[in-house]
Amino acid sequence: MSFKVAVLENDSSPLTETLTPGLTSLGFDAEGFGTANELYRRMLAKSFDAIVLDIALPDENGFEVAHYLRIHSRLAIIAVGKPRLSEADKMKVQADAWLTKPIDIDMLGAVLFDLHKRKLSGSPARTVAKKWRVDPTDWKLYAPDGRNITLSLSERLVMQRLLVAAGEVVTRDELIIVLTDSAYDFDPHRLEMLVHRLRRKVSNTLHLSLPLRTVRGIGYTMLTSAGDSVHF
């Protein structure tokens, strides 16, 4: 089976002892991740068909991760949450399926098998919204009109983090952490230059103004569409 599944789970015990091995034994190409950043970095090199997403994550809000993946990818999303999660919260995610903890591996396998059959039968893929986006399957930044530019690794990581925030302000420190494992040794001016070069690249190549806004003294925000406003 060539159905590739990413598992993003807050707790390392079920991730390593149950979920990933269990899905592998069922024939899925399963790979586990403990943080959203780990997943995003891996997605630069590997494309997945589906994700099992724990809504309670250590480095990101699981709802934000789902929002980003829903807009910027065609991944099927199997969301996992507590039994008492409200219907309103579930609607925010708009997942293809919902499971509660503790996860029953046979039930999860059945859901994934169903998604795999739908893919083989040619069911319509998830629609990608016409906004600024970074596709998880390549190294390009796409404008709303579909045109694109190729990004460097640093540019991609920064844009990916800003787009996940969906109009929220991302602090300089948060972006620096995405770029390096040693934030104390990182020169903040490198981030400013990266943003400056990226804006210029979009302007020179696509003749568009990248809606990446500087929030003085705090950080940056990316307005994915014309109707967006800055949220503090």
Side-chain angles (χ1 to χ4, degrees):
M1 182 187 302
S2 59
F3 197 68
K4 296 180 285 296
V5 182
V7 182
L8 185 54
E9 162 64 50
N10 184 28
D11 190 338
S12 61
S13 296
L15 180 65
T16 58
E17 297 173 9
T18 307
L19 294 178
T20 308
L23 291 176
T24 301
S25 69
L26 290 173
F28 294 99
D29 178 0
E31 193 167 342
F33 305 91
T35 68
N37 274 340
E38 290 177 9
L39 170 68
Y40 295 149
R41 287 177 182 272
R42 181 61 173 139
M43 288 174 73
L44 298 178
K46 180 177 180 177
S47 60
F48 292 93
D49 299 298
I51 180 169
V52 180
L53 173 63
D54 185 355
I55 293 301
L57 296 171
D59 64 333
E60 296 282 355
N61 181 308
F63 293 99
E64 291 183 354
V65 175
H67 178 76
Y68 173 81
L69 293 174
R70 190 171 65 250
I71 292 177
H72 302 287
S73 81
R74 293 179 173 83
L75 277 175
I77 300 175
I78 298 91
V80 179
K82 296 179 180 179
R84 294 184 178 180
L85 199 66
S86 70
E87 290 301 317
D89 282 338
K90 289 184 178 181
M91 289 180 65
K92 291 179 186 176
V93 177
Q94 297 180 20
D96 295 270
W98 267 97
L99 295 175
T100 57
K101 289 187 173 183
I103 300 175
D104 184 298
I105 193 66
D106 292 327
M107 176 66 73
L108 176 57
V111 171
L112 288 168
F113 276 120
D114 181 62
L115 290 170
H116 184 47
K117 284 198 302 183
R118 282 161 52 188
K119 179 184 178 184
L120 292 176
S121 67
S123 297
R126 182 184 299 278
T127 300
V128 176
K130 292 183 178 180
K131 295 186 175 184
W132 288 93
R133 63 185 180 88
V134 175
D135 194 306
T137 63
D138 62 29
W139 289 67
K140 299 181 185 298
L141 171 66
Y142 289 83
D145 63 7
R147 292 182 297 153
N148 63 79
I149 60 168
T150 301
L151 301 176
S152 67
L153 173 59
S154 296
E155 291 169 344
R156 195 186 199 288
L157 291 172
V158 166
M159 285 304 306
Q160 194 164 247
R161 179 64 186 85
L162 288 165
L163 288 167
V164 165
E168 301 287 337
V169 176
V170 182
T171 67
R172 289 186 177 87
D173 288 345
E174 289 177 286
L175 291 174
I176 288 172
I177 289 172
V178 168
L179 291 170
T180 179
D181 294 326
S182 180
Y184 292 107
D185 298 328
F186 189 90
D187 183 355
H189 293 297
R190 287 176 55 190
L191 176 60
E192 295 175 10
M193 288 303 300
L194 185 153
V195 170
H196 172 73
R197 288 196 302 270
L198 184 55
R199 286 171 174 154
R200 186 172 59 186
K201 180 190 292 188
V202 171
S203 177
N204 291 343
T205 306
L206 302 180
H207 306 292
L208 295 172
S209 176
L210 183 68
L212 198 173
R213 305 290 186 254
T214 301
V215 182
R216 190 175 299 278
I218 302 177
Y220 300 91
T221 185
M222 178 67 183
L223 310 182
T224 57
S225 63
D228 288 344
S229 58
V230 179
H231 303 291
F232 293 90

